[in-house]
Amino acid sequence: MSPNDRKMFAPLRQREAVSPEAKLFAILSGYEAGTIAADLAEKLVHGGLAVGTRALVTKRVGEMLDGLEQAGRVERIPDGRYRAVRPQR
């Protein structure tokens, strides 16, 4: 975890071992039709999972979504929304 992520996504409980990407993916999984980075950032902040200004959290969420997209865990829909990729059974 980068030093900036340690500040923005600081664990609320001692020894919380959930990465910022895992938190983001968990929230994104609840959106069947997908959503945008700004909505995810707001959900993280209002849920107490991130701190910072709206612009900085949204920017970092966008960067994380790009990384998750490259890893194949998230896909971008043509209208700009992101959605979680469900594993094939």
Side-chain angles (χ1 to χ4, degrees):
M1 185 182 310
S2 75
N4 290 336
D5 281 353
R6 282 181 224 263
K7 293 176 186 174
M8 189 176 289
F9 299 99
L12 299 175
R13 294 174 280 300
Q14 273 187 295
R15 298 188 179 137
E16 183 179 37
V18 179
S19 71
E21 290 84 0
K23 292 175 186 179
L24 180 64
F25 188 79
I27 292 172
L28 185 60
S29 295
Y31 289 93
E32 195 67 32
T35 190
I36 59 173
D39 290 343
L40 290 168
E42 190 162 328
K43 190 86 163 169
L44 284 166
V45 170
H46 286 293
L49 300 173
V51 294
T53 64
R54 180 177 291 170
L56 289 176
V57 175
T58 300
K59 179 181 180 225
R60 183 61 186 125
V61 165
E63 292 168 353
M64 288 191 303
L65 285 169
D66 288 340
L68 289 169
E69 183 180 17
Q70 290 177 3
R73 297 187 64 202
V74 167
E75 67 181 355
R76 188 178 310 184
I77 304 168
D79 66 3
R81 292 178 290 153
Y82 291 87
R83 67 177 169 204
V85 173
R86 307 282 184 220
Q88 298 293 327
R89 291 184 177 202

